[in-house]
Amino acid sequence: MSVAENLAQVNASIRDAESASGRQPESVSLVAVSKFHPVEAVIEALDAGQTLFGENRVQEAFAKFSELTSRGYEYNLHIIGTLQRNKVRDAVKIASCIESVDRIVLLDEIEKQCSKIDKSIDVLLEVHTGEESKAGFTDKAELEQAVALCAGKHYPHITLRGFMTMAPNTDDEEKIRTSFRTVRNLRESFAEKYSLSLPVLSMGMSGDYPLAIAEGATIVRIGTAIFGARQ
């Protein structure tokens, strides 16, 4: 099947999951994860109407999406992989959102690099909820400190939009749901405490996105089902 056909199938599945969970139609956005796939595959997706993409590796993403910009394509790019401080300068040039903020020093660096080019950027704070993933805040107090800094306008070029997580790699649905539910509850408590809207919950990938949608995800991150195996 083509990228366009795969996209149509995935979007239909997302709409079905929304309906089954009593969610509003089109309340969940799809991030098409294009890591390890060439520019041509992204163009296929763009031509099919997909404009929101996710990339893990900044160096790869910078080359790929800079080319798309030079060719006149419009898109939104989210950085979804672990981000090293020395990659932030390039990341903020091409991305509209960094989903994988997992430490306060990274917020400091994002603010520093955005201020240099006078750019505002959205971020999500990544919460560690799965044993396999080494990324994400593991300490609730540090996570709350990051929320408080963002709420207190400590980072004028950064807008905190919500949270991201990766569920544990397991067939146990209740463990997966608990992972997603934990982050949703954190969102609700911090939003109330700091008078923030925090509308975004990026939760769910190819194997578990229907469960994520049932637990309140507003973004799901899907790659292989759209682009096929890694190239």
Side-chain angles (χ1 to χ4, degrees):
M1 287 172 61
S2 67
V3 168
E5 289 170 323
N6 290 340
L7 266 170
Q9 202 168 65
V10 168
N11 276 308
S13 177
I14 291 170
R15 302 289 84 88
D16 288 345
E18 287 171 339
S19 176
S21 304
R23 302 280 302 277
Q24 288 294 315
E26 301 191 11
S27 58
V28 179
S29 298
L30 168 63
V31 169
V33 180
S34 49
K35 65 178 181 180
F36 307 127
H37 294 281
V39 168
E40 290 72 25
V42 178
I43 290 173
E44 280 189 68
L46 283 161
D47 289 343
Q50 178 68 26
T51 58
L52 178 55
F53 297 89
E55 288 273 342
N56 288 56
R57 298 180 177 185
V58 173
Q59 193 168 358
E60 177 192 348
F62 189 81
K64 191 185 302 181
F65 284 86
S66 294
E67 180 178 343
L68 288 166
T69 298
S70 72
R71 293 166 69 168
Y73 287 96
E74 294 185 3
Y75 56 83
N76 280 307
L77 175 64
H78 289 196
I79 299 298
I80 60 174
T82 300
L83 182 59
Q84 303 302 322
R85 288 175 66 188
N86 64 351
K87 303 292 186 185
V88 169
R89 184 183 66 176
D90 284 344
V92 301
K93 288 178 181 175
I94 53 167
S96 58
C97 178
I98 297 174
E99 295 197 12
S100 48
V101 175
D102 59 0
R103 56 205 188 280
I104 288 170
V105 292
L106 193 55
L107 284 168
D108 295 339
E109 187 66 24
I110 292 168
E111 173 61 33
K112 176 183 172 182
Q113 297 301 332
C114 281
S115 68
K116 288 181 179 179
I117 58 174
D118 195 25
K119 176 178 178 175
S120 295
I121 197 164
D122 291 342
V123 302
L124 305 181
L125 301 180
E126 182 175 359
V127 183
H128 179 99
T129 62
E131 305 84 36
E132 291 79 12
S133 173
K134 295 180 173 63
F137 283 92
T138 56
D139 181 78
K140 186 180 177 182
E142 187 183 6
L143 176 65
E144 180 163 2
Q145 185 184 357
V147 173
L149 286 167
C150 291
K153 310 300 182 188
H154 187 74
Y155 303 114
H157 295 86
I158 293 174
T159 301
L160 175 60
R161 299 280 293 159
F163 300 93
M164 183 263 255
T165 197
M166 292 175 64
N169 184 16
T170 175
D171 293 328
D172 187 331
E173 283 196 8
E174 190 50 40
K175 282 188 177 180
I176 296 169
R177 283 180 175 272
T178 297
S179 164
F180 297 144
R181 206 174 294 136
T182 295
V183 178
R184 187 188 73 215
N185 291 339
L186 284 170
R187 188 269 298 270
E188 290 169 0
S189 65
F190 287 144
E192 181 177 5
K193 183 172 182 178
Y194 292 97
S195 300
L196 296 169
S197 62
L198 303 180
V200 178
L201 286 176
S202 178
M203 314 189 300
M205 300 189 295
S206 292
D208 56 23
Y209 68 89
L211 295 177
I213 290 170
E215 293 297 339
T218 65
I219 286 177
V220 293
R221 311 180 302 273
I222 299 174
T224 304
I226 297 167
F227 295 107
R230 294 176 178 181
Q231 295 188 13

